[in-house]
Amino acid sequence: MVREQFQMLINGQWIDAKSGKTFESINPATEQVWGEFPFADANDVDDAVRSAHAAFESDEWRLMTASQRGKLLRKLGDLVGENKEKLAQLESKDNGKLIRETLGQVGYLPEFFYYYAGLADKVEGETLSLDKPDLFGYTVREPLGVIAGIIPWNSPLYLTAIKIAPALATGNTVVLKPSEHASATLLELGKLALEAGFPAGALNVITGYGLPCGDALTRHPLVKKIAFTGGSESAKHVIRNSAENYAKLSLELGGKSPNIIFNDADIDSAVNGAVAGIFAAAGQSCVSGSRLLVQEDIYEEFVTRLTERAERIVVGDPSHIETEMGPMATASQLAIVERFVDVALTEGAKLRTGGKRADIQSGWFYTPTILECNSNNDTLMQEEVFGPVAAVIPFKDEAEALAMANDSKYGLAAGIWTQNLAKAHRMIKGIRSGIVWVNTYRAVSASAPIGGYGQSGYGRECGIDSINEFTQIKTVWINTSSEPMADPFIMR
Ligand code: TXE
């Protein structure tokens, strides 16, 4: 098989790693190596960060008006839309995500660039109401400087767009590090950013592993903020590294999100919501509805219907439009899924369906799996699997559902299925998570903040809040008195 060769983007130039080393990317559906990428180390990271820093300090970027930056972002959004097919196919090949999912996700991506393009020239400070008659005060929101974007493999383009659009809109410059398992589309995005007219160095893309590349990037003294999406263990390293450069941090980590189905729910809708929650993206989504809490009087009916639908899911080649579930993105993710299912069975969970690799010759495919758990303390109810494994458990009443939902170290998302408006509101109020979906699941929008409670991370992406994440406040004091400033050592 022909291997595609990639270079990385530093200061507007396409280059190899200084060491000349490369690493391979494997197509999860075929297990064939298809691409080769520069293996960036601390030297390359230093070049990339310095290039972003120089761009940040340059007159071209510093003096560019916010509306001009907005125009560049709008152009980038247009280019992403025009290149939708190519980007969608590349992402599907690199991480095994379904083409029908990547087409949908990339097709919607321009909206994120347009949203922040529109916001760019609406970032404003405030006039302060000071308790000092001769002083006038106001605030301005200013960019931070170089932003490090650390991206995982599950939805690289989407998770990048929601970082770079607000970062660039507010006048920062960026060094992106894609996951070693899915680098290709971010390099394409780098190409489109240059084509859109962003100056050299405003957006750099370096390819490499967490160690040494991500590590060197997140501890670099010129990095002012780290926007990280990934796993909890890597996040701990990143938090420690941020102490080296006092960088601001936003962390979007894992979840064990409860999808709660009440006995008065529209069952057809709830089954579809449960399927979307756990089997979309083969469960490799931070907001997966991986804990299914079902009220006891509809429990058997619901689980039977869910099982029937799960068994009809078409697992296979992600590049075919009719396929409904693709492979695990990496061999290690497949091993993680297998391990969790083994642990669940050892702990006494009952297997309703799945629980094994799919019967497909090559590729890291797993079957849609439903396991009935005995207690919310079971490993499968508490730990993130990041695969197509639904942990199901019955509950008696609202109070028990809420207690189980909140008995988690995570708090990223939650789903509530009920026709009772008052009950939905009580649950919304009680649930500790950054997102609550009522009678729907996995909806996203550029204007809707995403982020977690607890160990799901902190900081918010998307929405107006994200502007605050990428800016800092300068407070300005102006003396308006006609009198000279008094000598501070003379008491009056
Ligand atoms: O993620 P990593 P992994 C969860 C999911 C999964 C687990 C592990 O449960 O099973 O995490 O996945 C970079 N300094 N999520 O190991 O390693 C890395 O190169 C700086 C949830 O693949 O966290 C990649 O670019 N960077 C999640 C990025 O971190 C480091 C999505 C994420 O990879 C680093 C993915 C270091 N020391 C996994 N070590 C979500 N929230 O959606 C690694 N990286």
Side-chain angles (χ1 to χ4, degrees):
M1 189 179 175
V2 187
R3 285 184 185 193
E4 291 178 41
Q5 307 287 327
F6 291 84
Q7 290 185 303
M8 52 190 179
L9 177 62
I10 298 181
N11 201 24
Q13 305 294 315
W14 293 98
I15 55 168
D16 297 322
K18 277 184 163 162
S19 66
K21 284 195 202 162
T22 58
F23 65 92
E24 296 168 340
S25 182
I26 300 175
N27 180 333
T30 62
E31 296 178 60
Q32 301 284 316
V33 174
W34 73 275
E36 216 171 294
F37 298 84
F39 181 93
D41 63 20
N43 286 325
D44 306 293
V45 168
D46 190 51
D47 285 354
V49 175
R50 286 187 190 285
S51 122
H53 183 68
F56 181 73
E57 299 274 311
S58 71
D59 283 353
E60 185 182 11
W61 188 244
R62 225 168 32 85
L63 303 180
M64 191 182 279
T65 63
S67 42
Q68 281 172 316
R69 289 197 302 271
K71 277 188 189 131
L72 294 182
L73 277 175
R74 180 158 281 280
K75 177 77 184 150
L76 179 56
D78 289 345
L79 289 171
V80 168
E82 286 161 27
N83 287 274
K84 174 177 130 176
E85 301 276 338
K86 181 180 178 188
L87 290 166
Q89 277 163 13
L90 197 56
E91 187 151 303
S92 177
K93 182 160 64 175
D94 213 7
N95 70 358
K97 207 174 167 75
L98 286 186
I99 188 70
R100 66 155 81 176
E101 283 174 348
T102 57
L103 276 172
Q105 214 169 41
V106 180
Y108 190 51
L109 220 53
E111 298 305 322
F112 293 87
F113 293 105
Y114 299 154
Y115 178 81
Y116 286 104
L119 271 183
D121 58 5
K122 290 155 199 78
V123 178
E124 292 169 346
E126 289 172 333
T127 307
L128 302 174
S129 164
L130 296 175
D131 59 346
K132 318 225 179 293
D134 291 332
L135 290 173
F136 171 66
Y138 64 94
T139 60
V140 272
R141 281 206 166 267
E142 297 192 329
L144 300 166
V146 179
I147 309 297
I150 307 283
I151 313 295
W153 40 261
N154 55 335
S155 288
L157 278 170
Y158 163 67
L159 293 168
T160 297
I162 64 179
K163 292 175 179 58
I164 67 170
L168 294 169
T170 45
N172 300 281
T173 56
V174 180
V175 179
L176 277 178
K177 194 206 85 64
S179 163
E180 54 273 33
H181 303 296
S183 308
T185 47
L186 300 202
L187 294 168
E188 279 304 313
L189 191 65
K191 234 180 250 173
L192 298 180
L194 286 181
E195 196 181 328
F198 280 97
L203 179 69
N204 305 273
V205 188
I206 48 170
T207 52
Y209 281 67
L211 271 174
C213 180
D215 178 62
L217 176 59
T218 50
R219 64 168 71 237
H220 196 290
L222 290 173
V223 165
K224 300 296 180 214
K225 176 184 156 89
I226 306 160
F228 175 88
T229 305
S232 315
E233 283 313 307
S234 312
K236 287 183 188 167
H237 290 284
V238 169
I239 294 166
R240 286 187 203 105
N241 282 359
S242 73
E244 300 294 324
N245 46 15
Y246 300 91
K248 235 177 142 175
L249 261 183
S250 58
L251 301 171
E252 205 260 89
L253 311 177
K256 192 76 202 181
S257 301
N259 211 352
I260 307 165
I261 294 104
F262 284 98
N263 58 9
D264 59 359
D266 173 330
I267 300 286
D268 289 339
S269 228
V271 169
N272 286 337
V275 168
I278 187 62
F279 299 126
Q284 300 169 111
S285 160
C286 51
V287 294
S288 271
S290 50
R291 276 193 297 158
L292 277 167
L293 278 43
V294 188
Q295 198 152 19
E296 58 188 15
D297 39 351
I298 56 156
Y299 180 82
E300 192 45 47
E301 182 198 351
F302 183 85
V303 179
T304 302
R305 288 177 64 176
L306 181 67
T307 304
E308 279 165 9
R309 181 64 188 96
E311 287 174 348
R312 278 190 287 115
I313 289 176
V314 182
V315 180
D317 189 336
S319 67
H320 292 168
I321 202 77
E322 68 277 11
T323 305
E324 292 174 332
M325 204 179 92
M328 300 294 95
T330 66
S332 63
Q333 200 55 46
L334 178 62
I336 290 172
V337 171
E338 289 185 309
R339 203 168 61 234
F340 272 115
V341 171
D342 281 350
V343 169
L345 292 171
T346 313
E347 289 181 2
K350 185 175 151 205
L351 183 68
R352 286 294 284 247
T353 188
K356 55 181 193 298
R357 291 187 185 202
D359 192 14
I360 298 173
Q361 223 170 20
S362 61
W364 300 315
F365 294 94
Y366 201 79
T367 48
T369 297
I370 300 172
L371 282 153
E372 290 178 274
C373 291
N374 299 305
S375 146
N376 199 52
N377 297 326
D378 291 357
T379 305
L380 199 65
M381 295 297 290
Q382 291 292 329
E383 299 299 328
E384 179 175 58
V385 178
F386 224 60
V389 181
V392 197
I393 197 161
F395 69 84
K396 218 182 348 250
D397 53 20
E398 216 176 300
E400 195 186 13
L402 192 57
M404 276 205 261
N406 285 339
D407 176 21
S408 170
K409 62 187 173 193
Y410 295 114
L412 190 53
I416 300 166
W417 299 84
T418 177
Q419 300 290 317
N420 182 325
L421 188 64
K423 190 193 294 176
H425 276 282
R426 288 193 297 274
M427 292 297 290
I428 292 165
K429 197 168 174 192
I431 277 178
R432 288 195 289 273
S433 69
I435 305 167
V436 183
W437 285 298
V438 180
N439 295 332
T440 184
Y441 208 87
R442 279 185 108 229
V444 293
S445 163
S447 57
I450 298 173
Y453 285 20
Q455 291 188 23
S456 292
Y458 44 78
R460 291 292 178 270
E461 297 188 301
C462 295
I464 293 176
D465 266 351
S466 194
I467 295 293
N468 299 344
E469 300 271 346
F470 287 100
T471 53
Q472 54 197 339
I473 288 179
K474 178 179 279 172
T475 305
V476 183
W477 296 83
I478 298 170
N479 188 350
T480 55
S481 162
S482 56
E483 300 295 317
M485 182 149 172
D487 183 328
F489 299 111
I490 298 176
M491 300 298 288
R492 287 168 205 257

